[in-house]
Amino acid sequence: MTSTAMTLSHASNPKTNALTAMPSPVGNLDAYIRAVQQYPMLTEQEEQNLARRLRDEDDLDAARQLIVSHLRLVVSTARQYLGYGLPHADLIQEGNIGLMKAVKRFDPERGVRLVSFAMHWIKAEIHEYVLKNWRLVKVATTKAQRKLFFNLRSMKGNASHLDQAATESIATQLNVSEADVREMNMRLSGRDIALDPGPDVSDDDSYAPIDYLADDTMEPTAILEGRDRDNLQSTGLQHALGQLDDRSRHIVQSRWLADDSGATLQDLADEYGISAERVRQIEAKALKSLRSYLVPA
């Protein structure tokens, strides 16, 4: 009997019917916005009753009614962030996530309306989405930078350049340094550039970042060549010197591998009691042998 009476009561109340009916699928964003505008706002008493049902009984239908009655708030809030060039539908979707989080945490005993409580959560989700997707590289990471990011665009108006007076004024109002204002303005004024425009770009004069950001020292062939060179200058050279006789090795080391300026032909000639020409011949023959030992097999 009670169930029947409740059903009849709902049927006779168009406002209750609008809130309890499941939303119908819509084909585009405009249709969605028109649909959510049709859900009536709740009175304070209705809102508190639904919030208590959700809190005390874990009533998901009460949660749904709280959410659908505030979808228009998300649409209105998301519209304020269209200046960042992101899809309105995506902004609304993120805002709806914030609304659901707010409904889950809402306490009807605090004496605050859900519309005021939910605004923080809606904006927080939209802010996070904007910061993650407006640029490939994050433009704001600290709390102060986030505040500056979301206020600078509106405070500077249509001006493309901030003069000293405007920079000082914004820095004072937001309690940040002038350097932070100038840096954020530069980030907001910049745009993403493709690292490599791809094969479709036929302009021979184009100069993409990939052309000047590439690190040739990390190219695999260059790395292998460097390792071979280092090996020849250390282990390989010592092995090659070990193949020479004592006199030839001493002459090469004295002439080319000494820490100082190196010995002259005459110095070595006096040391071995031979002519300088003979020292030169021994040196030439030793260097030829070294080259053959150092050439990779």
Side-chain angles (χ1 to χ4, degrees):
M1 183 67 177
T2 305
S3 176
T4 304
M6 185 173 291
T7 302
L8 292 174
S9 175
H10 283 188
S12 62
N13 189 338
K15 180 176 180 179
T16 305
N17 270 343
L19 286 174
T20 56
M22 292 296 293
S24 302
V26 293
N28 55 55
L29 180 60
D30 291 337
Y32 171 83
I33 294 175
R34 288 194 299 269
V36 301
Q37 296 294 342
Q38 296 175 8
Y39 292 113
M41 297 295 293
L42 297 170
T43 65
E44 184 175 359
Q45 188 59 50
E46 289 172 332
E47 183 178 286
Q48 289 183 350
N49 291 339
L50 290 170
R52 291 189 180 99
R53 282 168 50 191
L54 174 61
R55 182 194 62 190
D56 301 336
E57 306 171 21
D58 200 21
D59 189 336
L60 296 183
D61 184 65
R64 184 181 58 78
Q65 293 185 55
L66 289 170
I67 291 171
V68 297
S69 64
H70 289 79
L71 290 176
R72 66 174 68 192
L73 172 65
V74 176
V75 171
S76 175
T77 304
R79 189 176 291 117
Q80 302 172 19
Y81 296 88
L82 291 177
Y84 296 101
L86 297 172
H88 193 190
D90 290 350
L91 294 170
I92 292 174
Q93 177 174 283
E94 297 300 319
N96 285 342
I97 294 175
L99 173 61
M100 289 186 283
K101 290 182 178 180
V103 168
K104 182 178 180 181
R105 293 166 172 81
F106 181 60
D107 184 357
E109 310 305 335
R110 291 184 177 271
V112 178
R113 293 298 302 269
L114 178 58
V115 63
S116 300
F117 180 76
M119 185 62 72
H120 164 78
W121 293 94
I122 294 170
K123 286 187 174 181
E125 290 296 323
I126 294 178
H127 284 186
E128 190 68 24
Y129 172 76
V130 171
L131 290 174
K132 286 182 178 179
N133 295 275
W134 188 68
R135 285 287 187 267
L136 292 176
V137 178
K138 285 189 176 182
V139 295
T141 54
T142 67
K143 184 177 181 180
Q145 287 177 333
R146 288 170 179 254
K147 181 180 179 181
L148 180 57
F149 176 86
F150 286 106
N151 286 277
L152 181 58
R153 181 183 292 271
S154 59
M155 295 179 72
K156 66 181 289 189
N158 296 324
S160 58
H161 173 70
L162 285 178
D163 56 25
Q164 183 60 29
T167 300
E168 293 177 357
S169 175
I170 294 174
T172 301
Q173 294 180 57
L174 298 180
N175 194 27
V176 296
S177 67
E178 295 178 21
D180 288 340
V181 174
R182 285 190 289 268
E183 181 180 357
M184 186 59 69
N185 184 56
M186 180 181 66
R187 294 184 182 185
L188 289 172
S189 303
R191 60 185 180 89
D192 291 333
I193 302 175
L195 180 64
D196 187 354
D200 295 335
V201 178
S202 57
D203 186 3
D204 294 336
D205 296 330
S206 64
Y207 195 50
I210 192 66
D211 297 322
Y212 56 83
L213 291 179
D215 185 359
D216 295 333
T217 62
M218 298 306 294
E219 198 273 326
T221 302
I223 293 176
L224 293 176
E225 291 177 350
R227 289 177 180 174
D228 290 341
R229 182 173 58 254
D230 293 341
N231 181 65
L232 289 177
Q233 292 176 350
S234 56
T235 307
L237 179 58
Q238 293 302 319
H239 174 74
L241 286 171
Q243 307 304 310
L244 301 176
D245 60 81
D246 293 341
R247 186 173 64 171
S248 298
R249 181 168 59 253
H250 177 68
I251 290 175
V252 170
Q253 289 177 327
S254 299
R255 289 276 289 161
W256 303 102
L257 302 178
D259 293 334
D260 50 18
S261 58
T264 65
L265 292 175
Q266 190 58 52
D267 291 337
L268 293 170
D270 294 341
E271 180 178 348
Y272 285 103
I274 57 178
S275 66
E277 175 60 20
R278 179 57 182 156
V279 173
R280 187 194 65 77
Q281 293 174 355
I282 295 173
E283 176 189 41
K285 182 178 179 181
L287 291 176
K288 182 178 180 181
S289 298
L290 282 178
R291 282 193 290 268
S292 66
Y293 294 136
L294 291 174
V295 174

